[in-house]
Amino acid sequence: MAGALTTSKASNNSTYAGLGNLLMLPSWLVIGFFLVLPVGMMLIYSFLTKEFRGGIIWEFSLAAYDQFFFDRGLFGDDPARIEWTYIKIFWRSIWQAGVATFFCLLIGFPTAWFIATRTGNSRSIWLFLITIPYWVNLLIRTISMKFLIRDTGPLNEFLISTGIISDPIHIINTNFAVQLGLFYSYLPFMVLPIYASVERYNFALSEAAADLYASRITTLRQIILPTVKPGIIAGCILVFVPSLGAFLAPDLLGGAKTFMIGSLIEEQFKGNAGNWPFGAAVSMILLSMVLIVLTYYARQQSKSGER
Amino acid sequence: MTDVAVDISNVTKMYGSFTALKDVSLAIQDNEFFTLLGPSGCGKTTLLRTIAGFEDITKGAIRLYGDNIADLPPNKRPVNTVFQQYALFPHMNVTDNVKFGLLRLGQDEATASARVGEVLELVQLTQFADRLPSQLSGGQQQRVALARALAPNPKVLLLDEPLSALDLKLRQAVRLELQQIQHETGITFIFVTHDQEEALTMSDRIAVIADGRLQQVGSAREIYEAPSNKFVADFIGETNLIDVTVTDISNGNATCTLPSGATFTCPAADGAQKGAGHLSVRPERVAMTKPAKSLLQGKASRQIYLGTDMHVEVTLDDQEVVTVRVQNSETTHIPSIGETVGLNFEAGAARLLVD
């Protein structure tokens, strides 16, 4: 509050106002060049006509959105019916990302709790261990995962050699493989924000709850979870949003039946067969969905802040 | 049912090789305002936490109205705690904070709500029922913490330095309020503090703790006027510790030689021994007289103005300093620096201590 007051006073003074704008310039450049410009381009492209060998023709068209939502037959002159293909891909992506987020939360929360309740040095070591795998490129990690879980990979060979199974479990190219890949890719994005919340948690609250006759499970549900909720929500968003648009895991670990939005968009821009306006339109639909979720979250947050 | 609310017998608490509590035995009476007093790190909070169940004990037993509770988890013990930093649930309003314990005890919504109303009235917070803890002042938060702990009608209420976060004026007001609430509810209070004034003004009885050991248990008057050892005498209020040589102890009285060579007989604490010892004399019990008819002689070396009173420090011939408290008034003679004065005190004002 005090900070805001000082700033508004300073901006009344013309010298400082000029300097302030100048200092804001790098931020405006970054936001303009890396956010507004590319997203703006995609928005415009989605309303243009496709060039058959990739690229665009500068002519307004709703064809991309039309293709997403409606099926007008092979020659485009049948009566419009709802096109389910892409909606199904969206639905599958939401489901896959949701499952991955759920398992990240299931594993991430106890992990974060464990780390946050360690003392001093061992805490930093655990955090370091969590982040180590992420120094390796995502592509390499996803391919390693593929080798680990394929029919003749170490996982199946181990299970067969110990006699637990006689035939390899078929994991690769299934929904589960994709969920596993997403889970593995984004787990730290769940652990770290929850860790940050739990670290600030006042453990006297747990004692107070126990003192007031709450069992451990009640304390977790009624005291701990509501207090660290911001970290949990942040973690879920950080896992869910990139999972939704991921294309490496579905591409490498999944098959034709596990096709997700990320791969759909990628396909439209790669090679000559692409359809740039359609890819741009799918991106825009994905972006608006994410924005709706985030806006809802922000509303909830400001509501609980007002209370 | 016995008259003893909490019976602590031979409790020892170790953290690794560190002994936080050493063989503490204590019987806290029903409906008593009992204070655990000691410097920080002395083990008083640890003792409170073992009663609440947040710390397990290494040895000994804790009985609550006859039942051994030492092995029960905190949520199974019919005691409630007011925490030092209140530990109010930040996402719940005042009502829900106070109601929390009642619902856990299985009370239905209507019964619990009625009780919440009662307790909020007791601590005068009725109009703040819908506020979140963050929207309350420190004093109000403290009262919510109190209401929350009182609501389930615990057999014993534990208070862990609940006033330490309040400013002086408020602290004094809340002291009286706490005492009054204790009288009204008839609940046994166990109050932890490092503030001796708080302890002296509020408590029925006080236990002085240092280094994990019980030093003395008694009423405020007993502890102030008849301290059993050097630590208690020094920690509670201000005192002069005068080096003496004890020549005889009989029937609870000690005969000793003062630094001036004078012989003096006064009460002795249990366990005091012959040889070198310390007499405790409170500054307000020392009188200044003419040097000729006095027990001790020295020169006034410093004056400290305290408002209603004044402290005069008198340096004895052997360089020991004795502080005398005199009232500030036009009729009292206050010696100037360097003036030779004599010091006198009654036998009842002095006490030979255990070192």
Side-chain angles (χ1 to χ4, degrees), chain A residues 40-58:
Chain A
M41 265 174 67
M42 281 299 117
L43 184 66
I44 294 168
Y45 276 22
S46 71
F47 289 106
L48 294 177
T49 309
K50 73 170 175 180
E51 164 76 68
F52 278 97
R53 275 152 290 154
I56 37 105
I57 299 166
W58 283 88

Side-chain angles (χ1 to χ4, degrees), chain A residues 202 204-216 218-219 222-224 226-227 304 306-307, chain B residues 49 54 74-75 77-81 83 87-92 100-101 104-105 132 135 148 152:
Chain A
N202 174 8
L205 296 184
S206 294
E207 286 188 347
D211 190 62
L212 294 162
Y213 316 107
S215 62
R216 282 159 166 260
T218 311
T219 306
Q222 302 217 0
I223 308 299
I224 297 172
T227 349
S304 64
E306 276 163 24
R307 267 181 53 173
Chain B
R49 290 171 60 83
F54 303 135
N75 56 336
R77 299 187 187 197
V79 298
N80 289 125
T81 309
F83 290 84
L88 299 178
F89 305 131
H91 57 291
M92 294 183 187
F100 187 85
R104 300 289 84 70
L105 284 174
L132 284 179
Q135 297 165 324
R148 188 177 69 173

Side-chain angles (χ1 to χ4, degrees), chain A residues 5-176:
Chain A
L5 277 176
T6 336
T7 333
S8 71
K9 256 184 204 162
S11 61
N12 286 340
N13 184 315
S14 57
T15 319
Y16 285 119
L19 188 62
N21 285 336
L22 193 68
L23 289 171
M24 286 294 284
L25 196 63
S27 315
W28 287 122
L29 281 179
V30 168
I31 292 171
F33 197 77
F34 292 110
L35 180 79
V36 177
L37 197 64
V39 174
M41 265 174 67
M42 281 299 117
L43 184 66
I44 294 168
Y45 276 22
S46 71
F47 289 106
L48 294 177
T49 309
K50 73 170 175 180
E51 164 76 68
F52 278 97
R53 275 152 290 154
I56 37 105
I57 299 166
W58 283 88
E59 198 174 296
F60 177 81
S61 159
L62 285 172
Y65 291 95
D66 188 79
Q67 183 185 346
F68 188 92
F69 291 108
F70 300 109
D71 175 10
R72 296 179 192 276
L74 196 54
F75 302 103
D77 46 11
D78 290 358
R81 281 175 299 152
I82 302 243
E83 171 67 273
W84 290 105
T85 315
Y86 305 116
I87 295 171
K88 272 183 189 158
I89 292 175
F90 260 71
W91 174 242
R92 182 188 299 135
S93 301
I94 292 169
W95 170 252
Q96 297 287 67
V99 171
T101 308
F102 175 76
F103 281 105
C104 278
L105 183 60
L106 205 65
I107 303 292
F109 185 81
T111 311
W113 185 268
F114 174 82
I115 299 175
T117 49
R118 296 310 96 186
T119 48
N121 221 359
S122 69
R123 199 187 270 195
S124 345
I125 293 170
W126 282 109
L127 279 179
F128 181 67
L129 288 176
I130 290 282
T131 47
I132 279 188
Y134 299 88
W135 296 10
V136 177
N137 183 286
L138 178 62
L139 179 66
I140 309 287
R141 277 185 287 130
T142 311
I143 290 175
S144 318
M145 179 66 79
K146 183 175 183 156
F147 280 108
L148 279 173
I149 61 174
R150 65 183 175 170
D151 293 0
T152 54
L155 181 68
N156 274 314
E157 277 176 4
F158 171 77
L159 290 176
I160 291 169
S161 72
T162 53
I164 295 172
I165 51 170
S166 53
D167 293 312
I169 308 173
H170 187 67
I171 304 174
I172 202 86
N173 296 350
T174 61
N175 280 335
F176 176 70

Side-chain angles (χ1 to χ4, degrees), chain B residues 146-168:
Chain B
L146 182 66
R148 188 177 69 173
L150 282 172
N153 220 343
K155 288 186 169 175
V156 174
L157 186 75
L158 309 172
L159 301 104
D160 185 8
E161 306 216 19
L163 309 185
S164 62
L166 304 179
D167 57 50
L168 184 67

